[in-house]
Amino acid sequence: MESLLSLFPNPEDNFPLIAVILGLPLMGALINGIFGKRLGPEGVRTMALSAVGGSFLASLAAFLLLYARVQQASASLSEGAAVPHVKFVWNAWRWLALETTSIDVVFAIDSLSATMMLVVTGVGGLIHLYSTGYMAGDPSYHRFFAYLNLFIFSMLVLILGDNLPILFVGWEGVGLCSYLLIGFWFEADKNASAGKKAFITNRIGDFGLLFAMAMILHTTGSLSWAGIEARAPELFNELQIWPIGVAPSWLPAFLTSPVVVNYATLIGLALFLGCAGKSAQIPLYVWLPDAMAGPTPVSALIHAATMVTAGVYLVARMSFVFVLSPTAMMVVAGVGAFTALFAATIGLVQHDIKKVLAYSTVSQLGFMFMGVGVGAFASGMFHVVTHAFFKACLFLGAGSVIHAMHARIHDTDASQDMRNMGGLRKYMPKTYWTYMAATAAIIGLPLTAGFFSKDDILFRAFVNRIQPSGLLKDLAIRNAVQKAGAPLSDEAREAVVQGLHIPEWFSTAVFVVGVTAAILTAFYMLRTVFLTFFGDFRGWRIVPGWKNDDHDHDHHASHAHDEPIDGPVPHESPWAMWVPLVVLAFFALFAGWVNAGPFHLTAFSHWLEPSMQSGLKMVTTIKQGDELTHLEHLLLIPGVLAFLIGSGAAYWVYYVKKGEPARQAAQSAGGLYRLVLDKWRIDELYEATVLGAFHSLAETAALFDKWVIDGVLARLTTIVIQSFGSLFRAFQTGRVQMYAAVMVVGLFATGAYLLTAHGEVVVTKDEAGGMYIVEAAPGLGYKYRWDRDGDGVWDNPQLEQDETWTLLQKVQVQVPPGQETKVRVEVQNAFKMTKIREIVLRRPLPDKSRPDPVGMNVPIEVMP
Amino acid sequence: MTSIPLEYYLVVAAVIFVIGACGFLARRNALIVLMSIELMLNAVNLTLVAFNRWYASHHVGQMFTFFIIAVAAAEAAVGLAIVVALFRLKRTVRTDSVDLLKN
Amino acid sequence: MINAIVEQGLFYVSALLAVAGALGTVASKSAIRSAMSLLATIVGIAGLYLTLSAQLLAAIQILVYAGAIVVLFVFVIMLLGGQVQPNQDKRTSSSRAIGAGLFALSAILAAVLVARAGLGGPHLFDPPRIEFGSVSELGRVMFTDGVIAFELIGVLLTTAIVGVMAVARTRHAKTNAKSKEVGP
């Protein structure tokens, strides 16, 4: 630590270690991407692992250093004072300078980003190690690791970026890597279109993020976290979003009544649209289950542990914006809760093990948004961390299972179908135990990591209230006064403040929905365990080339005693695959103790607090002190009950009764069952509405293109170009003399121009004095004669000679007010060609109605 | 020798130049085209020498004419060499049968 | 007086010779006649140089043009010999008419230009200095003011010689066959 401090004596201002953290994965990506083929798998593996490993070590060093600095800073504080927000900054370069602000490429590490950074590089490193085993033998081995390293780099840019544009660069970068990796096996049409679906769905969210960025720049004039935070009260200004401009009078009154929102709500909702896209929340969650088409390590890294939590990170990062708008907070928490429940229902019936995990991820992300939406930013982030451990472990375990199944079944879909598994506990014990550990965490087995984080969220959802602080109240009342145009009565002020509160029933509803989702989680997760690892192996009767052509969804137990067919036996995965599993399983079980609320261990929350101080200021709880602790212990009961009910039901249905009750339920509620199996047919709904609308729009545009663009415009262009072409082609005879003849024509044109005398004049006005300067066109050998007084006789400036031709190119004419003068000039060129030009200068009387003492505004007319 | 005005020389030069230009454009025999170029060069030379006679304090015009004659000699040599090479290639010196530039 | 008559006589004869030669160069059907007419023009212009007190240039004109360039033309005409096809003009009468019209137009334009040029009446020359146009005087100018151009002319002529040899040298049979393929 001392040596680190001596290396970076002043990390708050300049911390170039960030360059190492960011640079290593980028370098790995470039080297693997460019030279990967020549390096061979061995070199690619070394490169990729050392890049991420080095980045992890640097991150760890940075984390420890940050921890030390925070300890130093808080040691000298008095009891109860807020811990200062320690932040290590590396200002790389200035990206662009705007008139009011500048956007720098600047990265920063504070407690929030340091935590995320450790998760990304740590879990990312483990998944890299796992991938070296999982992807072994793939022809595009180097491409895979180039993408994976690039993803780590982009994700770090997203996390470490100290302003919104840099975050957005990372945001788009991870989106790109996600797209590339989902479609990694792009030969299959299904994978390529899953990648496209993810990319396009994310674009909708990115639109929201861009929109929010523009509005933040508009209101606060800054895009960096500190800059936005400093001027966050500006966001409470109001904006009329409807009608835009002046509404036409023929619209009915209810359409023209003005809709006024404050910027915070607008920005909060726009940001959340971005988060919903990236973190797969309703209504943009549809891409994530399809994203499972990518290799399983990708699903673990990008679509479970890191990238999809970027939305949660953004909400936590922008907490000071969200808390300004109770509406936005309500939307975040509400959507999160509903997504948690909704995705869990779909997860109940899926057969594909990765699909179950995917819907589980969507559901868990809903939990996280539920947490940050009720103002429990630390709880939400804590669930991000624990979820990264157990969900990565689950996905990698599933990958290990699929890897084993592949030995038997060379079919992507069939090898992931749980109906073909069973009894794998015997063949792959390490996978089984780690999978069990991660499952225990996700279903909330008491004292595991998932138990603490999930219960923290549920508890916070119940007790947290967004409490408008003094400033927020003042601003709301100011807005109301402005709207009313008069001072408000006391009751009216009270009503305005009450309007800022989130209704009481909302917290209870979120809590109930959360507990329900937790029950479902326990059920479907144990279902995967029992179907995969218990009972007898059902893959015996699967021969190579097997096709899932019968649609009897519940046949899994009925053929369990069929004659086995000879073939390879499922086997445990190599060490590179099970070592990460063990590490992740360890953390899934024990990481919860860093923030075990019921045991008064709140290190994690305290650690994150400085990063979210101004957001947390607005959040209070319904009870304080001992009462709060008491309530926390009381609220453990629903959590534990949810675990017991869910897992008990799954044990009874799938272990004791071998799935018989599930079959019966599916038969008795056939329609509903199929609806859920088809994921509530949301994809079909989008297909019919959104895509249908776009298709008809596209068809209209295609018709326009066909008839107007191609039919008229293109043909017209062709005709014009063709006619000019044939005209010019006539000159291109290839004979030198033809070209010379054209030159002669040009010579004639030049000669004609030189022969003509050019009589253009320019009049300059000196308005105050009534003086006009008339300047004739200059030219080689030009002579001029002037008639300045309009008497029809050429002036003779040289009195002693009888010669009116002069070299005088410019003359002055004095015109009295209200009068006009005719001026003539004759121009003669070197070939004695002449041209006479006549102009009338008219000076109007000064306009008395305007305060214009010198007559500067008087228009001067010049008549040719 | 002062009885002929400058204009006379210029008129003669102009006439020769235009004749040369017309020959250059109208004739199809490459040799005669080259000769027309010589005519034009000579016309220009005459103009230069005549003007130099008018501004007799220096010899710039005559010097320039000297150089033009040298350039004309070089040009005639190269031009004739091209004509010979062309004749070898196409067995003709008619310029209208030479349109390699077109393809 | 006698001087004036001699001078005028020399001028008119030379001018006539030059213009007539020019017309002959452009108008004759056969190349050899054109070359002879060109010779007449060159001699005429040399005469005009004499009336302009440019004795050295007159000599050079005869030497270089008559002695080298025209001879070169004649030599090439001889080289190509009877193989030069007679005038088979494929041009239509309309294009001939256009050509004639252009000729007339340019002649008129040139006359107008010269006649109207604002030089202010006929410009008669002053009697020249005795050394004007002499070999020594011109030589001095050429080797002082114009020495760089003079040297460059040397380079140009060398280049031209090399170029001529490169373009016109006889190819070997192999290259000949190749060059025939290029033709139509």
Side-chain angles (χ1 to χ4, degrees):
Chain A
M1 196 49 54
E2 289 306 314
S3 57
L4 260 180
L5 268 175
S6 64
L7 260 178
F8 304 106
N10 196 10
E12 282 83 357
D13 290 332
N14 183 22
F15 191 60
L17 190 62
I18 295 177
V20 177
I21 298 172
L22 285 171
L24 281 175
L26 181 63
M27 203 174 72
L30 289 178
I31 291 179
N32 276 345
I34 298 169
F35 307 110
K37 243 197 174 116
R38 257 172 282 168
L39 284 175
E42 202 56 48
V44 167
R45 185 182 316 163
T46 317
M47 190 65 230
L49 285 181
S50 55
V52 182
S55 186
F56 172 69
L57 290 180
S59 302
L60 200 61
F63 184 88
L64 292 174
L65 191 59
L66 184 74
Y67 188 77
R69 295 298 271 206
V70 171
Q71 293 302 321
Q72 275 178 11
S74 47
S76 56
L77 287 175
S78 58
E79 188 65 29
V83 180
H85 186 191
V86 181
K87 192 162 145 181
F88 295 172
V89 177
W90 180 54
N91 199 335
W93 67 82
R94 172 151 294 181
W95 187 0
L96 44 105
L98 304 178
E99 212 167 287
T100 52
T101 180
S102 64
I103 298 173
D104 295 343
V105 178
V106 52
F107 301 97
I109 297 181
D110 63 357
S111 53
L112 180 60
S113 49
T115 313
M116 282 297 277
M117 178 176 77
L118 269 191
V119 172
V120 169
T121 52
V123 177
L126 288 173
I127 294 174
H128 269 70
L129 177 62
Y130 178 92
S131 306
T132 57
Y134 189 85
M135 296 300 287
D138 193 282
S140 299
Y141 198 69
H142 64 284
R143 188 161 60 90
F144 182 81
F145 281 100
Y147 291 164
L148 222 51
N149 275 352
L150 187 65
F151 169 78
I152 297 282
F153 167 73
S154 307
M155 192 68 205
L156 287 171
V157 169
L158 193 162
I159 291 163
L160 299 180
D162 196 41
N163 51 39
L164 264 176
I166 299 298
L167 175 131
F168 192 68
V169 170
W171 190 273
E172 292 300 314
V174 292
L176 170 72
C177 295
S178 158
Y179 162 76
L180 291 172
L181 284 163
I182 294 170
F184 182 73
W185 291 310
F186 54 80
E187 294 87 351
D189 201 35
K190 192 188 76 163
N191 301 351
S193 51
K196 272 186 283 183
K197 186 174 179 182
F199 205 67
I200 293 165
T201 314
N202 267 302
R203 292 283 79 66
I204 301 169
D206 295 343
F207 162 75
L209 187 50
L210 270 177
F211 183 67
M213 263 164 70
M215 269 192 303
I216 286 172
L217 187 63
H218 171 66
T219 46
T220 67
S222 174
L223 284 169
S224 69
W225 308 134
I228 303 170
E229 190 170 359
R231 303 194 59 193
E234 302 279 336
L235 296 174
F236 216 73
N237 289 335
E238 290 193 322
L239 172 74
Q240 181 176 325
I241 54 170
W242 184 263
I244 302 159
V246 180
S249 52
W250 46 264
L251 275 177
F254 68 89
L255 279 180
T256 58
S257 59
V259 179
V260 177
V261 294
N262 66 39
Y263 278 106
T265 305
L266 213 54
I267 291 171
L269 291 178
L271 281 174
F272 183 62
L273 181 64
C275 299
K278 190 63 67 187
S279 296
Q281 295 297 292
I282 289 173
L284 299 179
Y285 74 94
V286 287
W287 65 271
L288 186 58
D290 286 22
M292 297 304 133
T296 305
V298 171
S299 310
L301 177 62
I302 301 183
H303 305 122
T306 55
M307 182 186 86
V308 288
T309 60
V312 186
Y313 167 78
L314 184 61
V315 176
R317 180 55 86 189
M318 302 291 280
S319 54
F320 47 84
V321 173
F322 279 92
V323 292
L324 289 180
S325 165
T327 319
M329 290 295 269
M330 244 173 94
V331 169
V332 174
V335 168
F338 185 57
T339 309
L341 182 64
F342 180 81
T345 57
I346 303 176
L348 289 177
V349 295
Q350 296 301 311
H351 296 301
D352 185 322
I353 186 167
K354 283 183 74 181
K355 280 274 156 67
V356 177
L357 292 179
Y359 281 105
S360 161
T361 305
V362 176
S363 170
Q364 295 300 312
L365 288 166
F367 271 101
M368 296 170 205
F369 277 107
M370 204 195 297
V372 292
V374 298
F377 302 110
S379 311
M381 288 308 294
F382 184 47
H383 200 56
V384 166
V385 175
T386 56
H387 176 259
F389 293 133
F390 60 68
K391 188 50 70 62
C393 184
L394 286 172
F395 262 114
L396 296 185
S400 182
V401 168
I402 295 164
H403 192 71
M405 292 293 286
H406 252 288
R408 182 97 196 141
I409 308 166
H410 294 286
D411 180 286
T412 312
D413 287 332
S415 65
Q416 298 179 5
D417 196 322
M418 289 188 290
R419 284 168 295 184
N420 298 328
M421 300 173 185
L424 290 173
R425 185 172 44 147
K426 290 196 287 281
Y427 303 107
M428 33 200 333
K430 297 194 186 80
T431 305
Y432 164 67
W433 281 111
T434 51
Y435 195 92
M436 276 308 284
T439 307
I442 190 174
I443 66 180
L445 177 74
L447 309 185
T448 57
F451 167 77
F452 287 122
S453 60
K454 191 187 288 180
D455 273 323
D456 200 23
I457 287 175
L458 292 174
F459 163 64
R460 289 288 164 186
F462 193 76
V463 301
N464 266 14
R465 295 292 180 271
I466 307 299
Q467 200 68 38
S469 74
L471 177 66
L472 197 54
K473 265 184 214 166
D474 291 348
L475 288 168
I477 290 167
R478 185 202 69 190
N479 286 343
V481 170
Q482 273 176 1
K483 210 182 292 174
L488 296 176
S489 61
D490 285 349
E491 295 83 46
R493 295 168 89 91
E494 194 53 39
V496 168
V497 176
Q498 279 305 315
L500 292 174
H501 288 278
I502 294 172
E504 277 299 320
W505 58 263
F506 184 75
S507 303
T508 321
V510 166
F511 180 76
V512 171
V513 171
V515 172
T516 317
I519 297 174
L520 296 181
T521 306
F523 185 82
Y524 69 70
M525 280 315 298
L526 278 176
R527 172 174 172 261
T528 65
V529 171
F530 290 128
L531 288 182
T532 308
F533 292 104
F534 288 83
D536 298 314
F537 185 54
R538 293 179 291 272
W540 292 130
R541 44 180 205 87
I542 310 298
V543 292
W546 179 87
K547 280 270 177 278
N548 184 10
D549 51 3
D550 62 332
H551 287 283
D552 176 12
H553 290 298
D554 293 294
H555 66 185
H556 41 265
S558 54
H559 301 294
H561 302 293
D562 281 3
E563 264 319 289
I565 297 167
D566 283 339
V569 177
H571 55 85
E572 184 60 273
S573 302
W575 71 268
M577 287 169 73
W578 66 256
V579 167
L581 286 175
V582 171
V583 178
L584 287 170
F586 173 81
F587 280 109
L589 287 179
F590 301 112
W593 291 99
V594 297
N595 200 34
F599 297 93
H600 305 289
L601 297 169
T602 53
F604 188 81
S605 304
H606 278 302
W607 167 247
L608 286 187
E609 225 163 63
S611 302
M612 309 159 174
Q613 264 158 356
S614 55
L616 289 172
K617 256 185 246 163
M618 309 270 185
V619 181
T620 56
T621 50
I622 48 172
K623 297 255 169 40
Q624 304 294 332
D626 288 345
E627 284 186 340
L628 187 69
T629 319
H630 183 65
L631 192 60
E632 186 166 10
H633 291 146
L634 196 68
L635 285 176
L636 285 179
I637 297 169
V640 176
L641 274 180
F643 158 70
L644 287 177
I645 295 170
S647 47
Y651 178 76
W652 184 70
V653 171
Y654 288 101
Y655 191 74
V656 180
K657 296 279 183 180
K658 306 282 185 208
E660 197 57 37
R663 258 192 310 285
Q664 282 166 3
Q667 262 159 10
S668 59
L672 181 67
Y673 173 74
R674 272 195 297 280
L675 187 62
V676 182
L677 189 68
D678 290 346
K679 307 142 197 171
W680 297 102
R681 306 223 171 94
I682 296 293
D683 280 340
E684 286 77 1
L685 178 72
Y686 285 176
E687 190 96 25
T689 53
V690 182
L691 292 186
F694 270 99
H695 278 161
S696 23
L697 189 67
E699 271 158 31
T700 319
L703 277 182
F704 182 82
D705 183 61
K706 191 177 169 193
W707 292 106
V708 179
I709 308 279
D710 285 356
V712 181
L713 294 179
R715 207 162 290 170
L716 203 67
T717 318
T718 337
I719 288 169
V720 170
I721 295 199
Q722 244 169 12
S723 46
F724 272 104
S726 43
L727 181 66
F728 291 139
R729 201 159 43 238
F731 291 100
Q732 300 296 324
T733 56
R735 293 180 197 139
V736 182
Q737 280 164 313
M738 185 69 204
Y739 302 141
V742 176
M743 273 167 68
V744 170
V745 171
L747 203 65
F748 273 100
T750 317
Y753 181 82
L754 285 173
L755 272 178
T756 321
H758 297 277
E760 286 77 27
V761 293
V762 178
V763 179
T764 324
K765 287 165 269 186
D766 175 13
E767 325 233 320
M771 186 69 80
Y772 298 79
I773 298 165
V774 184
E775 187 177 358
L780 190 68
Y782 273 30
K783 286 181 186 169
Y784 311 91
R785 59 179 167 182
W786 294 90
D787 174 17
R788 276 173 292 184
D789 41 13
D791 57 359
V793 179
W794 297 115
D795 300 340
N796 188 357
Q798 296 132 317
L799 290 173
E800 64 273 15
Q801 292 172 22
D802 191 22
E803 175 60 67
T804 52
W805 287 107
T806 61
L807 295 175
L808 204 61
Q809 193 203 338
K810 199 193 287 190
V811 294
Q812 288 188 339
V813 184
Q814 181 82 38
V815 185
Q819 294 189 16
E820 58 179 51
T821 303
K822 195 191 284 180
V823 174
R824 287 196 304 150
V825 59
E826 188 171 9
V827 184
Q828 186 194 58
N829 70 4
F831 303 103
K832 301 282 198 303
M833 295 289 191
T834 60
K835 175 92 180 177
I836 295 181
R837 183 89 178 170
E838 189 175 291
I839 55 167
V840 177
L841 302 172
R842 182 178 300 150
R843 186 183 182 204
L845 285 167
D847 188 354
K848 298 288 187 216
S849 63
R850 294 160 70 191
D852 184 23
V854 286
M856 290 299 282
N857 292 337
V858 177
I860 305 245
E861 291 174 43
V862 176
M863 289 177 61
Chain B
M1 297 207 181
T2 55
S3 57
I4 310 292
L6 171 62
E7 283 83 354
Y8 284 27
Y9 290 98
L10 297 183
V11 168
V12 171
V15 167
I16 295 175
F17 184 89
V18 170
I19 291 170
C22 290
F24 176 77
L25 292 178
R27 293 307 304 255
R28 291 291 180 266
N29 188 323
L31 290 164
I32 297 179
V33 169
L34 281 178
M35 289 181 212
S36 304
I37 294 172
E38 300 301 331
L39 283 181
M40 289 192 280
L41 285 168
N42 269 297
V44 173
N45 282 350
L46 183 57
T47 321
L48 283 169
V49 175
F51 274 116
N52 197 178
R53 177 71 180 79
W54 179 254
Y55 299 103
S57 60
H58 56 76
H59 284 92
V60 174
Q62 291 200 13
M63 189 174 73
F64 215 94
T65 300
F66 175 82
F67 292 135
I68 291 177
I69 289 172
V71 172
E75 175 259 322
V78 174
L80 286 169
I82 291 172
V83 168
V84 170
L86 183 71
F87 184 79
R88 288 222 184 95
L89 183 67
K90 308 199 86 167
R91 313 305 297 176
T92 179
V93 291
R94 292 189 55 79
T95 54
D96 49 0
S97 54
V98 181
D99 51 1
L100 290 175
L101 272 179
K102 195 178 184 180
N103 304 314
Chain C
M1 191 62 201
I2 294 295
N3 269 354
I5 289 169
V6 170
E7 187 203 344
Q8 286 186 357
L10 183 56
F11 172 78
Y12 285 117
V13 169
S14 303
L16 197 67
L17 193 60
V19 173
L23 279 174
T25 309
V26 170
S28 14
K29 277 202 163 30
S30 80
I32 194 77
R33 280 189 200 173
S34 285
M36 289 305 116
S37 308
L38 181 64
L39 186 63
T41 306
I42 283 158
V43 171
I45 284 177
L48 290 177
Y49 286 170
L50 281 180
T51 65
L52 287 166
S53 315
Q55 297 90 340
L56 177 63
L57 279 182
I60 289 173
Q61 174 89 356
I62 297 291
L63 279 175
V64 174
Y65 269 108
I69 296 179
V70 173
V71 169
L72 197 60
F73 271 107
V74 172
F75 194 72
V76 170
I77 292 165
M78 277 167 55
L79 185 71
L80 304 183
Q83 291 166 308
V84 178
Q85 289 114 332
N87 195 356
Q88 305 170 316
D89 212 325
K90 292 183 215 119
R91 280 171 291 176
T92 57
S93 54
S94 64
S95 71
R96 281 166 187 276
I98 290 170
L102 277 178
F103 176 80
L105 195 67
S106 359
I108 292 165
L109 187 75
V112 167
L113 274 177
V114 174
R116 295 200 61 140
L119 298 175
H123 292 72
L124 288 170
F125 297 121
D126 300 326
R129 289 171 288 130
I130 194 70
E131 68 275 27
F132 180 78
S134 66
V135 176
S136 61
E137 185 78 351
L138 196 55
R140 195 183 56 75
V141 174
M142 219 172 293
F143 288 107
T144 53
D145 297 345
V147 68
I148 293 176
F150 189 83
E151 297 296 335
L152 286 176
I153 282 293
V155 175
L156 178 75
L157 287 172
T158 317
T159 317
I161 290 165
V162 174
V164 166
M165 280 160 60
V167 171
R169 88 196 134 102
T170 314
R171 312 282 161 109
H172 298 293
K174 193 176 153 201
T175 10
N176 245 342
K178 199 184 252 176
S179 55
K180 263 179 197 147
E181 282 166 23
V182 181

Coordinates of all heavy atoms in Angstrom, one line a residue, chain A residues 729 732-737 739-742 744 747, chain B residues 23-25 27-28 33 95-96 98-102:
Chain A
R729 N -19.9 13.3 -76.1 CA -19.3 12.2 -76.8 C -18.9 12.6 -78.2 O -17.9 12.1 -78.8 CB -20.2 11.0 -76.8 CG -19.4 9.7 -77.0 CD -20.2 8.5 -76.5 NE -21.6 8.5 -76.8 CZ -22.6 8.5 -75.9 NH1 -22.3 8.4 -74.7 NH2 -23.8 8.5 -76.3
Q732 N -15.5 13.9 -78.4 CA -14.4 13.0 -78.0 C -14.1 12.1 -79.2 O -14.3 10.9 -79.1 CB -14.8 12.2 -76.8 CG -15.0 13.1 -75.6 CD -13.8 13.8 -75.1 OE1 -12.7 13.3 -75.2 NE2 -14.0 15.1 -74.7
T733 N -13.6 12.6 -80.3 CA -13.4 11.8 -81.5 C -12.1 11.1 -81.3 O -11.8 10.2 -82.1 CB -13.3 12.7 -82.7 OG1 -12.3 13.7 -82.5 CG2 -14.7 13.3 -83.0
G734 N -11.2 11.6 -80.4 CA -9.9 11.0 -80.4 C -8.9 11.6 -81.3 O -7.7 11.3 -81.3
R735 N -9.4 12.6 -82.1 CA -8.5 13.2 -83.1 C -8.0 14.5 -82.5 O -8.8 15.3 -82.0 CB -9.2 13.5 -84.4 CG -9.5 12.2 -85.1 CD -10.2 12.4 -86.4 NE -10.9 11.2 -86.8 CZ -12.1 11.1 -87.3 NH1 -12.8 12.2 -87.5 NH2 -12.6 9.9 -87.6
V736 N -6.7 14.7 -82.6 CA -6.1 15.9 -81.9 C -6.6 17.1 -82.5 O -6.9 18.1 -81.8 CB -4.6 15.8 -82.1 CG1 -3.9 17.0 -81.4 CG2 -4.0 14.5 -81.6
Q737 N -6.9 17.2 -83.8 CA -7.3 18.4 -84.4 C -8.7 18.8 -83.9 O -9.0 20.0 -83.9 CB -7.3 18.2 -85.9 CG -5.9 18.4 -86.4 CD -5.8 17.9 -87.8 OE1 -6.2 16.8 -88.1 NE2 -5.1 18.6 -88.7
Y739 N -9.8 18.4 -80.9 CA -9.6 19.1 -79.6 C -9.0 20.5 -79.9 O -9.4 21.5 -79.2 CB -8.6 18.3 -78.8 CG -9.1 16.9 -78.5 CD1 -8.2 15.8 -78.5 CD2 -10.4 16.7 -78.3 CE1 -8.7 14.6 -78.2 CE2 -10.9 15.4 -78.0 CZ -10.0 14.3 -78.0 OH -10.5 13.1 -77.7
A740 N -8.1 20.6 -80.8 CA -7.6 22.0 -81.1 C -8.7 22.9 -81.6 O -8.7 24.1 -81.2 CB -6.5 21.8 -82.2
A741 N -9.6 22.4 -82.4 CA -10.7 23.2 -82.8 C -11.5 23.7 -81.7 O -11.9 24.9 -81.6 CB -11.6 22.4 -83.8
V742 N -11.8 22.9 -80.7 CA -12.5 23.3 -79.5 C -11.7 24.4 -78.8 O -12.3 25.4 -78.3 CB -12.8 22.1 -78.6 CG1 -13.4 22.6 -77.3 CG2 -13.7 21.1 -79.3
V744 N -9.9 26.5 -80.2 CA -10.0 27.8 -80.9 C -11.4 28.4 -80.6 O -11.5 29.6 -80.5 CB -9.9 27.4 -82.4 CG1 -10.4 28.6 -83.3 CG2 -8.5 27.0 -82.8
L747 N -10.9 30.2 -77.6 CA -10.1 31.4 -77.9 C -11.0 32.5 -78.4 O -10.9 33.7 -78.0 CB -9.1 31.1 -79.0 CG -7.9 32.0 -79.1 CD1 -7.1 31.9 -77.8 CD2 -7.1 31.6 -80.3
Chain B
G23 N -4.7 25.9 -91.4 CA -4.1 24.7 -91.9 C -4.0 23.6 -90.9 O -4.3 22.5 -91.1
F24 N -3.6 24.1 -89.7 CA -3.5 23.1 -88.6 C -4.9 22.4 -88.3 O -4.9 21.2 -88.1 CB -3.1 23.8 -87.3 CG -3.0 22.9 -86.1 CD1 -1.9 22.0 -86.0 CD2 -4.0 22.9 -85.2 CE1 -1.9 21.2 -84.9 CE2 -4.0 22.1 -84.1 CZ -2.9 21.2 -83.9
L25 N -5.9 23.2 -88.4 CA -7.2 22.6 -88.1 C -7.8 21.8 -89.3 O -8.5 20.8 -89.1 CB -8.2 23.7 -87.7 CG -8.0 24.4 -86.4 CD1 -9.0 25.5 -86.2 CD2 -8.0 23.4 -85.3
R27 N -6.2 20.6 -92.4 CA -5.4 19.6 -93.1 C -5.4 18.3 -92.4 O -5.5 18.2 -91.2 CB -4.0 20.1 -93.4 CG -3.9 21.3 -94.3 CD -4.6 21.1 -95.6 NE -4.2 19.9 -96.3 CZ -3.5 19.9 -97.4 NH1 -3.1 21.1 -97.9 NH2 -3.2 18.8 -98.0
R28 N -5.4 17.2 -93.2 CA -5.4 15.9 -92.5 C -4.0 15.2 -92.7 O -3.9 14.1 -92.2 CB -6.5 15.0 -93.1 CG -7.9 15.5 -92.8 CD -8.1 15.3 -91.3 NE -9.4 15.7 -90.8 CZ -9.6 16.9 -90.3 NH1 -8.6 17.8 -90.2 NH2 -10.9 17.3 -89.9
V33 N 0.3 19.4 -91.2 CA -0.1 19.9 -89.9 C 1.1 20.4 -89.2 O 1.1 21.5 -88.6 CB -0.9 18.8 -89.1 CG1 -1.1 19.3 -87.7 CG2 -2.2 18.5 -89.7
T95 N -4.3 12.2 -90.2 CA -4.6 12.3 -88.8 C -6.0 11.8 -88.5 O -6.3 11.5 -87.4 CB -4.5 13.8 -88.4 OG1 -5.3 14.6 -89.3 CG2 -3.1 14.3 -88.4
D96 N -6.9 11.8 -89.5 CA -8.3 11.4 -89.1 C -8.4 9.9 -89.0 O -9.4 9.3 -88.6 CB -9.3 11.9 -90.1 CG -8.9 11.7 -91.6 OD1 -7.8 11.1 -91.8 OD2 -9.6 12.1 -92.5
V98 N -6.2 8.4 -87.2 CA -5.5 8.2 -85.9 C -6.4 8.7 -84.8 O -6.5 9.9 -84.6 CB -4.1 8.9 -85.9 CG1 -3.4 8.7 -84.6 CG2 -3.3 8.5 -87.1
D99 N -7.1 7.8 -84.1 CA -7.9 8.2 -83.0 C -7.7 7.3 -81.8 O -8.6 6.8 -81.2 CB -9.4 8.3 -83.4 CG -9.8 7.0 -84.0 OD1 -9.0 6.1 -84.2 OD2 -11.0 6.9 -84.4
L100 N -6.4 7.0 -81.6 CA -6.1 6.1 -80.5 C -6.5 6.7 -79.1 O -6.8 5.9 -78.2 CB -4.6 5.8 -80.4 CG -4.1 4.9 -81.6 CD1 -2.6 4.8 -81.5 CD2 -4.7 3.5 -81.5
L101 N -6.6 8.0 -79.1 CA -7.0 8.6 -77.8 C -8.4 8.2 -77.4 O -8.8 8.3 -76.3 CB -7.0 10.1 -78.0 CG -5.6 10.8 -77.7 CD1 -5.8 12.3 -77.9 CD2 -5.3 10.6 -76.2
K102 N -9.2 7.8 -78.5 CA -10.6 7.6 -78.2 C -10.8 6.3 -77.4 O -11.7 6.1 -76.6 CB -11.4 7.5 -79.5 CG -12.9 7.6 -79.3 CD -13.6 7.6 -80.6 CE -15.1 7.8 -80.5 NZ -15.8 7.7 -81.8

